[in-house]
Amino acid sequence: MSIPWRSSAAAFEQLLSRHGVVAGACDMEAAWAAFEEFVQVPVEGIEGPEDDGDGFIVEWGVWDWTGNRPALSLGRLLAVNEDGDRQDPYWQPRYWKVEFQACFADDPTWANLHISGGGDSGFDHAAIGKPRADALAATRRFIDQDPLLSVMWRSAPTDIEVTLDRAG
C-alpha cells in the first residue's frame, strides 16, 4: 500500500491516533512507534531512493516558532517530482516535510543540558524495508544515549502538531 504525497500528513495522523497519540495524551514511545510505521509506507509522487527522494530526521531545540519552548520533532522529507518541466536542465524536485512536533514545558531536569542551540540526527535516506528499519534503530539508540534527548523522551509534551510544509 502506498499513499499520495499530498495525503502523507493525514496518513501519519491516522497512524498516531491508532497508536494512542492524541493532544493532551502523548507518549513519545507511542509517537516513535507510529513514526517507524509511517516512514516505512511508500509515498507516490516523489523521487526514488537512488536520488534521496525520501528521508527522515529527528530534530530538537528551542525556537521562536515553538513559543521558545523545548521541542522534539520527527520528520520525513519528501522530494516531490510532480511539478515543473523535467526536461529543463535546472529542474529540481520540491522538498516537503511531514513533521510531528512535540513541545514541552521547561523542566529543571534538563535545565543544565543546554537545549537552546538545538540539534538534529541528520537526514537518513535509507531505502524502505530492512535498510530503513536498521537506520531507525540506529537513530533510536542515539536518542537513548543522548542525555538531553533521553530526558525529553521520557517527558510528556504539553502539545503536539503534525504538519506538511515546504522545506528549504
Side-chain angles (χ1 to χ4, degrees):
M1 174 189 109
S2 63
I3 55 172
W5 74 269
R6 292 185 204 291
S7 302
S8 54
F12 189 20
E13 286 178 321
Q14 287 177 345
L15 288 171
L16 286 161
S17 178
R18 206 170 69 218
H19 283 267
V21 177
V22 294
C26 178
D27 170 86
M28 290 307 296
E29 289 291 337
W32 180 256
F35 183 68
E36 285 181 308
E37 190 174 338
F38 172 63
V39 298
Q40 291 283 14
V41 174
V43 176
E44 301 164 10
I46 63 172
E47 290 294 300
E50 67 281 358
D51 294 321
D52 292 342
D54 183 6
F56 71 90
I57 190 168
V58 175
E59 299 170 284
W60 58 92
V62 174
W63 303 287
D64 58 348
W65 63 85
T66 63
N68 293 311
R69 294 175 297 159
L72 181 60
S73 163
L74 309 175
R76 185 174 186 179
L77 188 70
L78 306 172
V80 175
N81 61 18
E82 294 180 346
D83 296 330
D85 178 9
R86 292 193 63 126
Q87 302 306 315
D88 180 340
Y90 300 106
W91 178 88
Q92 293 289 317
R94 292 203 174 134
Y95 289 90
W96 289 78
K97 185 177 176 189
V98 181
E99 180 177 29
F100 167 85
Q101 184 172 273
C103 292
F104 301 86
D106 282 324
D107 189 316
T109 308
W110 59 48
N112 296 324
L113 296 177
H114 310 290
I115 190 173
S116 60
D120 64 67
S121 63
F123 283 105
D124 193 298
H125 296 278
I128 288 175
K130 182 163 177 14
R132 181 152 297 177
D134 292 345
L136 287 160
T139 300
R140 183 54 199 272
R141 283 190 299 275
F142 172 77
I143 291 168
D144 290 340
Q145 293 170 359
D146 183 272
L148 172 62
L149 291 177
S150 63
V151 168
M152 289 179 82
W153 203 260
R154 292 186 308 270
S155 301
T158 55
D159 62 89
I160 59 172
E161 179 180 31
V162 175
T163 57
L164 172 64
D165 290 314
R166 280 285 305 266

